[in-house]
Amino acid sequence: NAGVTQTPKFQVLKTGQSMTLQCAQDMNHEYMSWYRQDPGMGLRLIHYSVGAGITDQGEVPNGYNVSRSTTEDFPLRLLSAAPSQTSVYFCASTPRARYEQYFGPGTRLTVT
Amino acid sequence: AQTVTQSQPEMSVQEAETVTLSCTYDTSESDYYLFWYKQPPSRQMILVIRQEAYKQQNATENRFSVNFQKAAKSFSLKISDSQLGDAAMYFCAYRSDFNAGGTSYGKLTFGQGTILTVHP
């Protein structure tokens, strides 16, 4: 099992560029989520999904899109990057509520 | 909405000593779960300990224990016999469960984090 994988590990974007952060898990987990981590603010939920074709917004969804076409993959899209989206992004997955959430290694994104 | 507050941005402890990290939360729910996560410089999120709100007994995992005060909505983490490897950012988290399609899932709300330094 590779667990939860994220690519890339680091990325630098210019303002206005678009990109997709990839997240994949090989544990057949139904629930997947994206968080961003900013200094002094902890991790905040961006979007989450409870299965293929089902997504919903978290606490800070603006500027981000997600889709879930398969159980394994949950990509996060930035359509027009802004400096305020400079952050560390984590993907996490879990089978259901009573189980532990498994986190990916994170992606450090810098928008200049 | 639930909120989680960690009022100590930084803490330090001498190796082999004991340190307590504070966490308070706000919720109107009666049944929930609380967690402490450790994030070392590698950035990996590591689950340290969990507490179910319906259990009165405080959770313990080796050198890590919690003091769960439900009425006060307080959930502190005690690290005994601190080791250099305990140096990390520690996050308190609250899990709110919701039902979708007949299955229960949980969303995590995190506190701001506490940076723990361990001095040799």
Side-chain angles (χ1 to χ4, degrees):
Chain A
N1 272 357
V4 180
T5 58
Q6 291 183 238
T7 55
K9 286 189 168 49
F10 302 93
Q11 182 70 50
V12 179
L13 288 179
K14 291 189 182 341
T15 298
Q17 287 185 317
S18 63
M19 81 158 295
T20 299
L21 305 185
Q22 301 291 345
C23 174
Q25 52 90 10
D26 60 358
M27 298 172 283
N28 201 32
H29 289 172
E30 295 175 355
Y31 182 88
M32 295 185 74
S33 55
W34 277 101
Y35 296 87
R36 59 176 290 172
Q37 180 180 0
D38 302 294
M41 304 190 77
L43 281 75
R44 292 179 292 167
L45 183 64
I46 305 172
H47 285 286
Y48 64 95
S49 168
V50 298
I54 307 170
T55 64
D56 206 346
Q57 297 180 350
E59 182 185 352
V60 288
N62 292 342
Y64 308 95
N65 280 351
V66 292
S67 60
R68 185 102 177 263
S69 56
T70 67
T71 300
E72 294 78 19
D73 300 298
F74 190 43
L76 179 72
R77 296 184 187 85
L78 286 72
L79 298 179
S80 179
S84 61
Q85 294 178 305
T86 293
S87 188
V88 178
Y89 292 84
F90 287 95
C91 180
S93 75
T94 184
R96 52 196 65 196
R98 65 185 182 90
Y99 292 93
E100 171 185 351
Q101 291 212 14
Y102 294 84
F103 285 83
T107 294
R108 179 175 293 278
L109 175 68
T110 302
V111 183
T112 61
Chain B
Q2 291 77 24
T3 59
V4 178
T5 302
Q6 293 178 249
S7 58
Q8 306 157 317
E10 298 182 25
M11 290 285 285
S12 64
V13 63
Q14 291 293 132
E15 199 175 3
E17 297 293 310
T18 296
V19 64
T20 298
L21 308 184
S22 301
C23 173
T24 59
Y25 59 95
D26 188 27
T27 183
S28 57
E29 298 175 335
S30 59
D31 194 17
Y32 48 86
Y33 289 75
L34 295 163
F35 304 85
W36 279 98
Y37 282 87
K38 172 185 177 182
Q39 186 183 49
S42 67
R43 270 200 329 239
Q44 186 65 45
M45 294 290 287
I46 302 165
L47 178 63
V48 175
I49 198 165
R50 81 185 80 199
Q51 173 79 44
E52 292 116 330
Y54 67 87
K55 288 188 176 179
Q56 292 187 338
Q57 187 173 5
N58 288 327
T60 299
E61 289 285 345
N62 300 316
R63 298 182 295 107
F64 298 87
S65 62
V66 300
N67 183 4
F68 174 49
Q69 302 288 330
K70 191 173 184 179
K73 296 179 182 174
S74 170
F75 182 60
S76 60
L77 174 71
K78 186 171 82 170
I79 306 174
S80 304
D81 186 24
S82 296
Q83 300 175 0
L84 295 178
D86 294 333
M89 174 84 85
Y90 286 83
F91 291 100
C92 177
Y94 174 104
R95 193 184 79 199
S96 53
D97 291 353
F98 64 98
N99 201 285
T103 300
S104 182
Y105 301 97
K107 286 191 281 186
L108 292 176
T109 299
F110 287 85
Q112 301 89 334
T114 298
I115 299 172
L116 177 66
T117 302
V118 181
H119 298 289

